[in-house]
Amino acid sequence: MEIIIQRLTKVYRGKVEALRGVDLEIGAGMFGLLGPNGAGKTTLMRILAGILSPTSGSVTVGGHDMRTEGGRKEVKRILGYLPQELGLYPDLSAREFLDYIAILKGLDNGPARRQRVGELLEMVSLADVANRKLKTFSGGMKRRIGIAQALLNDPQLLIVDEPTAGLDPEERIRFRNLLADLGGNRIVLLSTHIVEDIGQTCQRLAVLRDGEVVFQGAIGEVIGAARGKVWTVTTAGAKPEGEYTVISSMRHADTAQYRVVGEATPPGDVRHVEPGLEDAYVWLMRDTRATPTR
């Protein structure tokens, strides 16, 4: 199972370019799509899900050409999709909602359908509240129901768009762990602007900026690109000035320590530190010399 994207563009009305010549190859397992809001992530997800048509370029999913009606139909058979905003039926229970969506997805065998619904309720840790109405669920519980409906047809391609936005830390951890368990032979494509979600679940990623891919590869590779560009600066005065991005700051009684990313060594009491994914992401996004990696 593989996704191959070549020279993909999407231009909206008013000549707004959401995607500009995107090239990507995505294999089985967890794959992260990282970028700021407005980078083109959701547009790309909607094209992969067959909801939008590209302006130009090609997308092949598991050998199916998304430019053809037959190709889009075949991809939808193997697709599970959790959009950023999932429409729920608040007066249905969790079990009723999943059963209804399963019928829409063509799971016509009643006993098999009910068994699948029960299995998924167990998987997302909602079996004990399966008969509660969805309007009583927390945001995190609704996201778990969302991932359950996306898994009803045991998809080979699972797309999740900003799944942890707005969740509390405990629910974010629970949801990340659930996603990580869903890899294996299927493709799980996680689109988010939250760096930590990618770092905790994915081995490979692509970074989008202004509709273009500025990096694709292993997480270790993008971290390596920021090596030598990250420092801690300890000062009793003002924060470091110049061509630096301050990642974090911590104040003590009479000093402050800043973690900064930049090209040149900052002045003052400084030391190099090993970058993390957040540092690497900030470096990549601020480096105006970065060009799309094909």
Side-chain angles (χ1 to χ4, degrees), residues 238-270:
K239 70 177 182 180
E241 298 291 341
E243 295 298 316
Y244 312 108
T245 300
V246 177
I247 301 294
S248 63
S249 62
M250 182 177 296
R251 293 198 170 273
H252 303 284
D254 52 2
T255 63
Q257 186 177 80
Y258 299 91
R259 187 182 184 95
V260 303
V261 173
E263 179 68 53
T265 304
D269 181 8
V270 303

Side-chain angles (χ1 to χ4, degrees), residues 110-138:
R113 184 178 69 246
R114 288 188 287 274
Q115 180 179 350
R116 180 63 175 163
V117 167
E119 290 170 351
L120 289 171
L121 286 166
E122 289 283 353
M123 179 185 292
V124 299
S125 302
L126 291 174
D128 57 338
V129 293
N131 296 318
R132 274 177 49 184
K133 290 187 176 181
L134 293 175
K135 64 184 178 183
T136 70
F137 278 21
S138 68

